[in-house]
Amino acid sequence: MTFRAVIGAVLGAFVLAFGPMAAAQPAELPPPGAGRAAYAPFEHLIGRTWRGVGTGEQAVEDIQRWDWAVGGHAVRVTHSVNGGVYGGETLIFRDRDSGAYVFHYFTSGGFHTTGVMRPTGPGAFEVEEEVHGIEGFGRLRSTLTLGEDGVHRSRTFQERDGAWVEMGGFDYREDPDAVLTQPHAPEP
């Protein structure tokens, strides 16, 4: 699998792939502020490990671990792809002024993303993000929905020539036995 294929699959995985933004209805949010209550839309994810299987041609596996960060004032998502071939960390923070959930995603691939997550209903989010450090990579939109079967389904779309093109996604199931293996930086 090429690095570009891994990056495409991973962006499809973590970005929490979502559908077109116009169709989404904003969910009622807890009031902005500090502390865990401000992160109620994420409660069903935090403290759990999820194993995702790619929906595309490549059978990519993504392991995600959702935890509290900054003493409960942010959420951290750590993930690894195919046993540590690639990995990244996301910090999600509730902006006090706008009430938005902003995030910064750091990767082992030498790029990062920034964006906003919006809850659209129980167990559902949409994401808009910008990719930094990969030339020519368009904006991304993603959706994450929790099905009645307990499966989180993510789909990601990339903006190309003014149109939104589906990149694929992942179907995540909770797996407390999944092992997250982060890639290590090469020794100097």
Side-chain angles (χ1 to χ4, degrees), residues 112-132:
H112 67 280
T113 74
T114 55
V116 176
M117 297 179 76
R118 292 180 187 87
T120 57
F125 297 90
E126 65 180 21
V127 176
E128 286 190 55
E129 70 186 295
E130 295 285 334
V131 178
H132 310 277

Side-chain angles (χ1 to χ4, degrees), residues 49-53 149-153 171-176 178:
T49 303
W50 302 84
R51 180 185 306 272
V53 178
D149 57 1
V151 176
H152 279 272
R153 291 172 178 86
D171 292 340
Y172 291 94
R173 290 170 175 76
E174 185 176 4
D175 184 350

Side-chain angles (χ1 to χ4, degrees), residues 57-182:
E57 295 176 18
Q58 312 257 352
V60 176
E61 177 185 72
D62 183 47
I63 307 294
Q64 294 184 351
R65 175 72 191 177
W66 291 67
D67 289 301
W68 289 108
V70 193
H73 297 279
V75 174
R76 174 184 295 120
V77 184
T78 309
H79 84 110
S80 67
V81 174
N82 288 349
V85 170
Y86 168 90
E89 255 187 63
T90 300
L91 285 176
I92 303 167
F93 181 76
R94 183 83 186 270
D95 182 76
R96 188 180 305 253
D97 293 334
S98 70
Y101 293 99
V102 296
F103 68 90
H104 202 133
Y105 171 49
F106 305 94
T107 75
S108 65
F111 70 95
H112 67 280
T113 74
T114 55
V116 176
M117 297 179 76
R118 292 180 187 87
T120 57
F125 297 90
E126 65 180 21
V127 176
E128 286 190 55
E129 70 186 295
E130 295 285 334
V131 178
H132 310 277
I134 300 178
E135 191 173 326
F137 210 90
R139 291 182 311 148
L140 299 172
R141 287 184 176 168
S142 302
T143 58
L144 175 65
T145 57
L146 174 61
E148 290 183 19
D149 57 1
V151 176
H152 279 272
R153 291 172 178 86
S154 70
R155 302 297 179 263
T156 298
F157 299 79
Q158 181 182 32
E159 186 177 34
R160 295 182 189 158
D161 299 323
W164 291 99
V165 178
E166 185 171 352
M167 294 176 59
F170 284 77
D171 292 340
Y172 291 94
R173 290 170 175 76
E174 185 176 4
D175 184 350
D177 297 324
V179 177
L180 193 136
T181 306
Q182 287 291 340

